[in-house]
Amino acid sequence: MNNTLIAYFSRNGENFNVGNVEKGSGAILAEMIAELMHSEKYEICTIDGYPEELEECNRIARKEAEENARPELRNSVPDIHGITDLVLVYPNWWGDFPMAVYSFLDSIRTDGLNIYPVCTHEDNGLAMTERMLKQAYPNANVMKGIAIRGSIVQNDRNHTREILIKYLTGHNLI
Ligand SMILES: Cc1cc2nc3c(=O)[nH]c(=O)nc-3n(C[C@H](O)[C@H](O)[C@H](O)COP(=O)(O)O)c2cc1C
């Protein structure tokens, strides 16, 4: 669908319950969603990136969150003229988004945009993220999101695909 964009943040390397992954769970989800929806995807990544080592990544992520930072993005933000639906794929980082997701959302038009939150996590689900979206972008239409464990994404692609099909069908996105 060309009125839809899939934007995702995901990180390779060491993570909770999955060991060291070559491809982050969000990246896998974004690929599946792009294929199911025939939509373009945009990777939200920062110029500095994040370390593969979990402890070091935690340290940086916490510092950015404490500072409410807006780390600079590496890829130029896509033209969202004509885009009505944004499927936003991201990991739960301490109950919130990685700050880079805010960098992205701050730099696009969110007014009137339908946002579908697709969160990967390891225990806490969507946590505060839907609420944070509604607060930060009050003129966006934040839809009911879905939370999928990274360990399921990494270990059971068929089940993951089924979960996505159910979610996307439920929202008439496919
Ligand atoms: C900095 C950091 C903080 C995290 N905080 C949480 C958390 O509070 N709750 C949770 O369920 N998972 C948490 N996780 C786990 C990730 O949400 C989970 O591993 C997710 O699947 C990662 O997606 P990705 O592979 O696309 O980066 C955290 C991971 C990192 C790296």
Side-chain angles (χ1 to χ4, degrees), residues 85-104:
D85 296 319
L86 173 70
V87 179
L88 185 64
V89 183
Y90 56 92
N92 171 332
W93 276 12
W94 310 119
D96 199 347
F97 297 95
M99 291 297 115
V101 174
Y102 291 107
S103 300
F104 169 68

Side-chain angles (χ1 to χ4, degrees), residues 9-11 15-16 24-27 54 57-58 61 91-95 120-125 149-150 154:
F9 176 99
S10 184
R11 176 182 150 270
N15 222 325
F16 298 99
S25 303
L54 186 55
C57 177
N58 277 338
N92 171 332
W93 276 12
W94 310 119
T120 85
H121 69 112
E122 218 34 76
D123 205 23
N124 302 125
R149 277 176 198 273
Q154 295 291 339

Side-chain angles (χ1 to χ4, degrees), residues 136-162:
Y137 310 99
N139 296 323
N141 306 313
V142 179
M143 305 298 179
K144 189 161 172 42
I146 187 174
I148 309 176
R149 277 176 198 273
S151 41
I152 289 180
V153 178
Q154 295 291 339
N155 298 318
D156 194 343
R157 304 287 159 103
N158 288 340
H159 182 43
T160 301
R161 216 178 129 82
E162 280 166 18

